[in-house]
Amino acid sequence: MHNFPPAASSARPRVVSRRDALRYATALAGLGAASVGVRIPTAAAAAPPQLIDFAAHQIPAQQIRAAGYSGVVNYVSMSRPGSSFGAKPITRSYADSLIAAGLVIVSNYQYGKPGSSAPSDFTRGHAGGIADARTAWGLHTAAGGGQGAPVFFTIDEDINRDTWNHTALPWFRGINSVLGVQRTGVYGGVRVCQWAVADGVVGSSSTPGRRWVWQTRAWSGSQVDPAAVLYQRVVSTASNPGPKVGGLEVDVNDVLAPDCGQWNLHAGRPSGDVR
C-alpha cells in the first residue's frame, strides 16, 4: 500500500524523477495519447493519463478529447428498470467514434445498485454471476470489445469479509466459470480489491505486478492497492459533483498501469473460450 497524494488543489508542486516521467510517457503511448493530444508529464509536474466514466448519456468523443482525457470506462450492461441511461450499454457506433478520435475503451458491468430498482449484482450469487458474465460478454463483443480484454464487475458498496466470502465470492466464481479468470476484473473499495486478488478471481495485466483491479476512492481511506490498474480519484455525487465534460458531470480515473485493460491491447483471444 501507499498513501494517496493530496488533491490537485492542495498538493504542492513536486519534483518527479526521469524514471516516473518515462513511466507515464509509456502509459500514455499505450493509451494512444499521442493522437489525443494529452501532454506527457515533465519533471516539474507528473500526472497520469485519465479515463472518465459516466452513464447518463453518450458524451461526444471530440468533447472527451478536447477535455484532455485519454478515454472512457463504459458499461457493458443494460439500464435498470425505471431508468434510461444513454451510455448503457456502449454501442458499436459510439465505440467506433471513440476509437476514431484516438480514445481508448475499458469495459465494466453494473446493472443493480444499492437502493435502486434492482439489487446489487453480487447479491445474486453464483448463478447470478453466470448470467451477468454472459450478458456482459455479449454486449462487450457486440460493441467491438477485444476478445482478450477484461470486464470489470462492480461492487458498489462497502461490504464486510463475511459478505464477500458467502455472497460476492460465489458471484465472482460464477463469472469466472463463463469468462475465465483472465477476462475478469473487479471494481470496488480497497478491501474488496484485496480480497478479489487474494482469492484469485481476477486476471493479470501485462504490466508486472498489476491485476484487473479498478479501485474507487470510496471506502478506501487514503490507501491505493499496489495491484490496481485504475483508481477512481473523483466520484461525482450531488454534494461533490465531478468535472463537466460535454455538459455532464463525470467520474475521473487515474491510469496506474500502461495496460489497464483497454480494448486495443487485447484484440487476441487468451487461452480458454468464453462458455
Side-chain angles (χ1 to χ4, degrees):
M1 297 292 194
H2 59 273
N3 289 332
F4 177 66
S9 60
S10 60
R12 295 179 180 177
R14 63 188 189 278
V15 175
V16 177
S17 69
R18 183 181 299 274
R19 177 180 296 176
D20 283 342
L22 178 60
R23 177 165 59 89
Y24 284 127
T26 302
L28 285 166
L31 289 165
S35 62
V36 183
V38 178
R39 198 171 45 175
I40 293 176
T42 66
Q50 294 179 321
L51 309 182
I52 58 173
D53 67 276
F54 48 89
H57 62 75
Q58 296 176 342
I59 302 173
Q62 293 300 332
Q63 294 184 21
I64 297 172
R65 175 176 174 169
Y69 297 105
S70 297
V72 305
V73 184
N74 219 148
Y75 291 97
V76 288
S77 51
M78 304 300 293
S79 293
R80 294 181 288 275
S83 63
S84 180
F85 294 111
K88 296 179 73 171
I90 188 170
T91 61
R92 183 60 180 260
S93 60
Y94 184 55
D96 287 348
S97 74
L98 295 169
I99 293 167
L103 301 172
V104 302
I105 306 169
V106 174
S107 290
N108 109 283
Y109 181 91
Q110 182 179 15
Y111 179 70
K113 188 174 183 177
S116 73
S117 57
S120 296
D121 303 322
F122 74 89
T123 62
R124 303 191 307 117
H126 190 273
I130 291 173
D132 292 342
R134 288 174 175 165
T135 297
W137 195 251
L139 294 170
H140 170 88
T141 55
Q147 291 294 303
V151 176
F152 291 83
F153 290 83
T154 301
I155 296 186
D156 201 10
E157 57 188 283
D158 191 17
I159 64 174
N160 59 30
R161 187 58 185 263
D162 186 68
T163 300
W164 169 263
N165 286 340
H166 295 99
T167 307
L169 181 56
W171 180 61
F172 272 99
R173 299 288 190 206
I175 293 166
N176 291 164
S177 72
V178 175
L179 300 184
V181 171
Q182 183 53 27
R183 293 187 186 91
T184 303
V186 64
Y187 166 94
V190 65
R191 293 190 304 166
V192 163
C193 294
Q194 292 172 334
W195 297 333
V197 170
D199 286 328
V201 294
V202 293
S204 298
S205 165
S206 65
T207 304
R210 301 288 178 164
R211 305 291 290 275
W212 297 140
V213 168
W214 175 18
Q215 184 189 331
T216 177
R217 184 172 188 159
W219 320 301
S220 293
S222 61
Q223 297 178 317
V224 179
D225 191 318
V229 293
L230 291 168
Y231 181 76
Q232 192 177 56
R233 177 186 295 273
V234 177
V235 184
S236 183
T237 63
S239 59
N240 188 29
K244 285 189 176 182
V245 181
L248 180 66
E249 292 166 4
V250 301
D251 300 331
V252 180
N253 305 275
D254 292 345
V255 176
L256 304 181
D259 179 6
C260 63
Q262 60 267 45
W263 290 6
N264 61 305
L265 288 188
H266 296 276
R269 184 185 300 274
S271 60
D273 291 331
V274 173
R275 294 184 282 278

